[in-house]
Structures are given as structure tokens and as C-alpha cells.
């Protein structure tokens, strides 16, 4: 079992930036494809971006060009750099493997508001 601790969220104005971090416990982090997910109020949790074991990345169309996922296997950490934030990006952000069959962490709240 792997546990995740997300951090880096906050309140930001439209057009602003945040960098999220997800620290994973366990020594086998590097063998998993990892993803950032988000859940907006009243909506289902969705996969926003994921990074494969080999470092290849995939981003949903609505964040492409604005968000960048990356990983540091030596630190057991996954990052999500978020630029040009929009109101619709407001959500709780979580990380998990892809597919997400580990327990969810507490997430980190991102609020985009003027």
C-alpha cells in the first residue's frame, strides 16, 4: 500500500500559478504510472494529467499548455505546475496511481477567484 500527501494548493487570482506536490510513501513509487486528479464541487473526480514510469506525460485538453505534470522518483514525488489558472480549475486536487486503486489522500484545495 502507498499513501499520498498532497500540498501546494491555495487561493489564487485568474491567470495566476500554483505548483502542487504529492509525496508518496513506500519504496516502489517508481514502478507506477502516476496521475493528478481533481474534484470540483458537485462533480465527479476526474483525471487531469498523468505521467508514465518512463516519464512520458499526458494532459487533458482543457489543461494542455497550462498545466505540466512531472515526477521525481528519487524523492517519491509527483508535481503539477499550474499556470494561467481559470475559475473552472477550482477543485480539490489529488494524486494517485493510474488507475487509482490506492487509498486517496486528503487532497489540496485550489481556489481560483478574483
Amino acid at each position: 500500500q502507498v499513501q499520498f500527501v498532497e500540498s501546494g494548493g491555495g487561493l489564487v487570482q485568474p491567470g495566476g500559478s500554483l505548483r502542487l506536490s504529492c509525496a508518496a510513501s513506500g519504496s516502489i513509487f517508481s514502478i507506477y504510472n502516476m496521475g493528478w486528479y481533481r474534484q470540483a464541487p458537485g462533480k465527479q473526480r476526474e483525471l487531469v494529467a498523468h505521467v508514465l514510469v518512463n516519464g512520458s506525460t499526458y494532459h487533458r485538453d482543457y489543461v494542455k499548455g497550462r498545466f505540466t505534470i512531472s515526477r521525481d522518483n528519487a524523492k517519491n514525488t509527483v508535481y503539477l505546475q499550474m499556470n494561467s489558472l481559470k475559475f473552472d480549475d477550482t477543485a480539490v486536487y489529488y494524486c494517485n496511481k493510474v488507475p487509482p486503486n490506492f487509498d486517496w489522500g486528503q487532497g489540496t484545495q485550489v481556489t481560483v477567484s478574483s
Side-chain angles (χ1 to χ4, degrees):
Q1 184 64 271
V2 177
Q3 294 181 322
F4 304 107
V5 178
E6 299 92 347
S7 61
L11 174 63
V12 64
Q13 293 185 340
S17 298
L18 287 172
R19 188 192 192 206
L20 306 184
S21 298
C22 169
S25 66
S27 60
I28 55 175
F29 167 83
S30 61
I31 71 171
Y32 297 120
N33 297 327
M34 292 296 301
W36 277 99
Y37 302 76
R38 71 184 184 188
Q39 186 167 21
K43 295 186 177 181
Q44 290 191 339
R45 188 149 29 200
E46 59 182 3
L47 178 64
V48 174
H50 66 277
V51 54
L52 303 184
V53 171
N54 66 8
S56 297
T57 61
Y58 299 88
H59 300 79
R60 297 291 295 273
D61 285 345
Y62 51 78
V63 302
K64 200 172 291 184
R66 300 189 298 122
F67 291 10
T68 303
I69 189 171
S70 61
R71 68 191 297 163
D72 185 337
N73 289 337
K75 296 182 178 179
N76 281 8
T77 302
V78 182
Y79 303 99
L80 187 67
Q81 178 66 45
M82 305 190 297
N83 300 326
S84 302
L85 282 160
K86 304 177 180 180
F87 294 119
D88 288 348
D89 295 321
T90 294
V92 180
Y93 285 72
Y94 304 85
C95 71
N96 208 316
K97 65 183 292 291
V98 179
N101 48 14
F102 286 139
D103 290 341
W104 294 97
Q106 83 288 352
T108 186
Q109 175 71 49
V110 172
T111 303
V112 184
S113 175
S114 56

